[in-house]
Amino acid sequence: MNALTSLLDGFGTALTPINLLWAAIGVLLGTAIGVLPGIGPAMAVALLLPVTYGLEPIGAFIMFAGIYYGAMFGGSTTSILLNTPGESAAVVAAMEGNPMAKSGRGAQALAAAAIGHFAGGMVGTVLLVALAPAVAGLAVDIGAPDYFAIMVLAFIAVTSVLGSSRIRGLASLLIGLTIGLVGLDRMTGQQRLTFGSLQLADGIDVVIVAVGLFAIGEALWVAAHLRRGPPEPIPVGLPWLSRGDVRRTWKSWARGPFIGFPFGAIPAGGAEIPTFLSYVTEKRLSRHQEEWGKGAIEGVAGPESAASASAAGTLVTMLTLGLPTTAVAAVMLAAFQQYGIQPGPLLFEREPDLVWGLIASLFVGMVLLLALNLPLAPVWAKLLRIPRPYLYAGILFFASIGAYAVGGEVIDLVILLIIGLIGFGMRRYGLPVLPAIVAVILGPAAEQQLRRALQISDGSVSGLVGTPFSVTVYAVIVLLLAWPLLKKAVTRRRAEH
Amino acid sequence: MTTPTTGLPPEPAGRRSWLRDHSELGVCVMLLVLGALVLTDALTMDVDLTQRGPVGPRTVPVVVGAGLLVVAVLLAVDVVRGGRGRAETGEDVDLSEPADWRTVLLLTGVFLGSAVLIEPLGFPVSGALLFWGAAFALGSRRFDRDPLIAATVSLVAHTVFDNLLGVPLPGGPLMGVL
């Protein structure tokens, strides 16, 4: 089927009143949660995972997509008005946005960010429509050895590209793999790390791990270092742009997606790198060099557009290969697993209604985001004044609902707390959380593919590198691993000259 | 970021402060223990009859366990050489002050308490206690407002999840009365 006709069918799904409602709820909830300090998009989706027990998959994913985009925009709002970015992707928004807000141009900064998100999301989703079926088509024939290779690539990429210490990333990855091992072995039914407990035989539910690492871990970490007297947000009116502002920013909005989208699609940390690259690009191209650092509007417009497009890129990889490249995608993948749906090349054939409904809802969500966020900006700004005890008490409260909802077991709450304490320790000692959650979600699947591949090759390791695809992937992995050594060699040679 | 600290010589009476500076070694110990646990569990597993195919249920746990041991040692080397994990920052995080352990312990206790109470008292009550207790632990002392907010949040959440979203939460004796 042609992508365009499928997309039109998707709009048929997305525009039903009930799905429109989910999209609107997702966008509003996502923005509100994103604005709230201390809650990023990943925690927002993790806390809302329990709704998957009561909702149809299409409605749930439409809502999650709305939350993803909404929370990213909300995070930038916080950055601009408070100058204390919560997640790394919003750091760049603070660099020019906060000086703008301080000098009374907060309304313009928010407008540039909102329209940037709209433009980036639109272009990114168009690229998603154009590319995803093709990628899925290419990937349809890949077998167990190829899947295993891609998953190893994901593990290596999240541990070595992101974060600054590889050894700490690796520690986090292994912790995640260990959590994923708990339970009955899927192929032989052997008990692993269950210590004879019946509850552990089912394994630790991904929802509990995600909520524990992202919500409980974060809440406890903030509680240990709660800022006395939270920063005062800068008051702001309705966002608007003058004609001169638009003339300065439209090119930045247009350039952003082409930086953001490719980075979102590869496992390189989502929006963090592209927002920074976009910032540097805009700075180089700007005719108003004197304004940079004091509030140049291009420095808000470009990166925000790149951030939004990177979310679309993330979805390409997640939907077509089943690989999460960001924490949000990892948690969304957990939601797919809750429904027993396996994202991957076959998803477009098996669940066309779901996929195309989801993609169409991205366009709908983008329009809603723009239409709602411009008028609601002053309301969002008020959310920044929420008393912190209530905020973090609320996070713990909703986290406990999430864990209890998994199976109605008190023991799940205890496991949740233990994983939360692990998450606390990881934040304290700089172990990144992303490798752990990716390992919990992909680890069991990777083991299955490995064993399947070796069964086919009758135990010969050569079965793992038997296809051109897997060989290519392993070559990329070697490059990734060798990169720091290569870089060192190059700089040393330069220094010698 | 692993920032090398300038090579201060250890003070004579500084064993405790050395340990405090190198508290990250605790992470290495945890990884060692975890690795040993995974390895023991894997090696004591009875696999002969159930093994199908060349890679059995043991292989991956053995690799993960061994990996944990190796990483624990490598991390210890990094820490002793002066490498430090960078603590995570955030909007409400102030790293300039030492960690407030009292709050963390209180929150942990409140959370465990509400977990114990959820079945006998029902979610609306245990949830409200969790919210209020957590807010109290985090420094909120509005005795007129806090319990009211906690009760409202808990009742609304119970209604939304239990009735609207179909996520069953125990009502407890209170919902039986209402």
Side-chain angles (χ1 to χ4, degrees):
Chain A
M1 215 191 330
N2 184 307
L4 271 182
T5 42
S6 314
L7 183 63
L8 282 179
D9 288 344
F11 272 108
T13 311
L15 291 175
T16 54
I18 183 74
N19 285 336
L20 266 178
L21 180 71
W22 290 125
I25 291 180
V27 165
L28 281 177
L29 212 57
T31 316
I33 289 176
V35 168
L36 287 175
I39 311 186
M43 196 211 282
V45 180
L47 281 176
L48 284 164
L49 278 178
V51 304
T52 56
Y53 300 113
L55 279 188
E56 289 292 303
I58 294 185
F61 285 111
I62 286 178
M63 188 168 84
F64 285 158
I67 291 171
Y68 190 2
Y69 283 98
M72 284 180 75
F73 173 75
S76 314
T77 307
T78 315
S79 261
I80 291 170
L81 299 181
L82 272 186
N83 197 26
T84 50
E87 59 270 348
S88 47
V91 170
V92 173
M95 282 161 43
E96 295 303 317
N98 189 252
M100 280 183 77
K102 276 188 186 142
S103 60
R105 279 169 52 78
Q108 283 82 352
L110 286 183
I115 299 173
H117 270 270
F118 176 76
M122 279 295 185
V123 176
T125 312
V126 168
L127 291 174
L128 167 72
V129 171
L131 287 176
V135 176
L138 282 179
V140 139
D141 299 325
I142 67 177
D146 309 303
Y147 272 117
F148 180 68
I150 303 182
M151 287 169 182
V152 173
L153 172 65
F155 291 153
I156 302 291
V158 290
T159 47
S160 68
V161 177
L162 306 174
S164 32
S165 163
R166 282 183 170 201
I167 192 72
R168 288 171 180 82
L170 203 55
S172 165
L173 184 82
L174 287 167
I175 292 173
L177 287 174
T178 307
I179 297 176
L181 280 177
V182 177
L184 296 182
D185 173 34
R186 287 191 200 178
M187 292 178 110
T188 63
Q190 276 285 338
Q191 300 211 3
R192 296 197 296 197
L193 294 172
T194 57
F195 311 106
S197 147
L198 270 181
Q199 263 103 0
L200 286 179
D202 286 340
I204 300 176
D205 200 284
V206 214
V207 172
I208 296 179
V209 182
V211 173
L213 284 180
F214 286 111
I216 304 277
E218 180 76 17
L220 291 178
W221 173 239
V222 175
H225 290 278
L226 192 59
R227 202 186 287 279
R228 308 287 161 210
E232 265 299 288
I234 301 164
V236 70
L238 277 183
W240 61 279
L241 287 176
S242 72
R243 187 169 290 199
D245 291 326
V246 176
R247 209 173 293 136
R248 274 180 67 178
T249 46
W250 72 269
K251 280 184 193 151
S252 315
W253 288 325
R255 273 191 291 264
F258 297 98
I259 301 174
F261 186 83
F263 275 94
I266 57 170
E272 189 177 339
I273 298 173
T275 46
F276 189 73
L277 278 184
S278 165
Y279 179 86
V280 176
T281 310
E282 295 308 327
K283 188 172 177 183
R284 197 163 292 163
L285 293 173
S286 170
R287 290 209 197 122
H288 304 265
Q289 290 296 337
E290 72 289 349
E291 282 183 25
W292 285 78
K294 292 174 216 145
I297 193 164
E298 300 97 319
V300 178
E304 290 309 289
S305 162
S308 183
S310 84
T314 300
L315 288 179
V316 174
T317 318
M318 193 193 66
L319 292 175
T320 59
L321 297 177
L323 273 192
T325 57
T326 62
V328 189
V331 183
M332 278 177 82
L333 200 63
F336 274 105
Q337 290 181 349
Q338 294 296 320
Y339 286 116
I341 301 171
Q342 184 58 51
L346 294 175
L347 185 69
F348 283 75
E349 281 173 27
R350 286 192 191 147
E351 307 271 351
D353 292 348
L354 173 66
V355 179
W356 289 104
L358 173 63
I359 294 177
S361 82
L362 296 180
F363 288 105
V364 177
M366 225 56 73
V367 175
L368 288 175
L369 198 62
L370 190 68
L372 293 173
N373 278 335
L374 289 179
L376 283 176
V379 181
W380 300 137
K382 284 212 180 75
L383 275 181
L384 292 173
R385 297 176 188 277
I386 185 172
R388 298 308 190 258
Y390 295 154
L391 176 61
Y392 293 103
I395 292 174
L396 290 175
F397 173 86
F398 282 105
S400 81
I401 295 187
Y404 192 80
V406 167
E409 307 261 11
V410 172
I411 181 80
D412 283 345
L413 289 173
V414 179
I415 298 177
L416 176 77
L417 183 65
I418 293 171
I419 293 178
L421 288 170
I422 295 176
F424 172 83
M426 291 172 74
R427 285 174 172 79
R428 164 68 181 82
Y429 290 108
L431 304 188
V433 181
L434 181 62
I437 191 75
V438 168
V440 172
I441 290 167
L442 287 186
E447 184 187 4
Q448 240 178 334
Q449 300 289 0
L450 168 73
R451 286 161 74 175
R452 209 172 280 162
L454 287 176
Q455 247 167 359
I456 296 167
S457 71
D458 211 20
S460 158
V461 183
S462 63
L464 293 179
V465 287
T467 61
F469 186 91
S470 57
V471 173
T472 318
V473 175
Y474 286 118
V476 173
I477 293 175
V478 170
L479 262 181
L480 270 179
L481 288 176
W483 176 244
L485 296 175
L486 286 175
K487 211 164 81 177
K488 214 180 264 175
V490 168
T491 40
R492 194 174 299 158
R493 181 166 301 173
R494 261 193 213 144
E496 278 169 15
H497 276 289
Chain B
M1 178 88 61
T2 50
T3 40
T5 48
T6 44
L8 286 173
E11 312 257 324
R15 189 176 228 173
R16 278 181 89 177
S17 78
W18 188 90
L19 277 180
R20 196 179 300 140
D21 279 351
H22 295 76
S23 64
E24 204 175 341
L25 289 173
V27 179
C28 307
V29 174
M30 301 271 281
L31 292 172
L32 270 181
V33 172
L34 194 61
L37 196 69
V38 175
L39 270 182
T40 334
D41 185 78
L43 294 176
T44 54
M45 197 186 288
D46 187 26
V47 288
D48 302 332
L49 290 173
T50 41
Q51 175 134 359
R52 281 177 225 154
V55 174
R58 227 179 220 188
T59 319
V60 173
V62 168
V63 172
V64 170
L68 280 165
L69 297 183
V70 171
V71 164
V73 172
L74 288 178
L75 185 62
V77 170
D78 183 60
V79 172
V80 171
R81 278 186 177 169
R84 288 289 175 277
R86 183 175 48 180
E88 198 179 88
T89 54
E91 285 111 334
D92 287 339
V93 172
D94 180 6
L95 289 177
S96 58
E97 301 214 3
D100 177 2
W101 292 107
R102 210 178 130 257
T103 308
V104 178
L105 280 178
L106 264 173
L107 283 178
T108 311
V110 166
F111 193 89
L112 277 178
S114 82
V116 172
L117 293 176
I118 189 166
E119 283 187 347
L121 295 186
F123 181 80
V125 176
S126 74
L129 288 176
L130 169 63
F131 191 97
W132 186 20
F136 182 87
L138 288 158
S140 184
R141 293 289 183 276
R142 296 283 304 267
F143 292 103
D144 51 339
R145 200 171 67 175
D146 294 353
L148 213 65
I149 293 181
T152 317
V153 168
S154 195
L155 274 174
V156 169
H158 183 265
T159 316
V160 168
F161 278 90
D162 198 63
N163 300 345
L164 297 181
L165 289 171
V167 177
L169 295 172
L174 178 71
M175 296 316 271
V177 172
L178 283 183

